[in-house]
Amino acid sequence: MPIHRLARLSQRMAALTLLFIACMLILNASLWVFPRLASPDGLGIGFSLSAVMLTQLAVKIEMLAGWQVLGAILISSVPLIALASGMNHLRQLFQGYANGEFFSNDAAVHLGKVGQGVMLWVTASFVCTPLLSMLVTLHAPPGQRLFTISFTSADFVALFLAGCIAVIARILMRANEINSENQTFV
């Protein structure tokens, strides 16, 4: 692929990554404000922790107080903010590629931060799921309150891929160090 096409593709990927970050956060909040989006008779849209609470646990938002809905938006956004941080580093990585910075220390750092962001996302989801389930069932009658813990095979896959990304980032950092040392000898 010619370098100018690669630069253009990288710039597009940076823009798409930013769009994905914004849509992810907006969709999460929208599901709590407009629960019909998640209902099976509505659009049936689900996303992250909001999908678990609204579709699998069938939480009725109409029964929640305003502060509970706001709390649900905030708690369900915590893992997404961690993911958005990693995705922002992915965006910066693509921007660096668009500028021709293929084997720079910054590229390796950004790639490592992508892996960290995914690891934080999975960890925060694991921690926030019980908090969110307790919040949305706080005023439910006895016997209907929930304390939900969730760790799926998709979480294992995400952690494995995040670990792989982090290792590759360290390899790229070391390769960059070796390249710098070799250039000083030449």
Side-chain angles (χ1 to χ4, degrees), residues 60 62 113:
K60 301 291 183 213
E62 305 81 33
K113 297 282 185 178

Side-chain angles (χ1 to χ4, degrees), residues 17-28 84:
T17 304
L18 184 60
L19 180 66
F20 179 79
I21 292 168
C23 288
M24 165 179 80
L25 294 170
I26 291 168
L27 177 60
N28 180 63

Side-chain angles (χ1 to χ4, degrees), residues 157-175:
V157 171
L159 284 176
F160 176 75
L161 290 175
C164 290
I165 291 169
V167 169
I168 291 169
R170 289 192 181 188
I171 291 168
L172 289 175
M173 281 182 180
R174 182 66 184 133

Side-chain angles (χ1 to χ4, degrees), residues 92-104:
Q92 291 173 346
L93 180 65
F94 281 127
Q95 287 175 329
Y97 288 163
N99 294 328
E101 301 168 11
F102 300 108
F103 291 107
S104 68

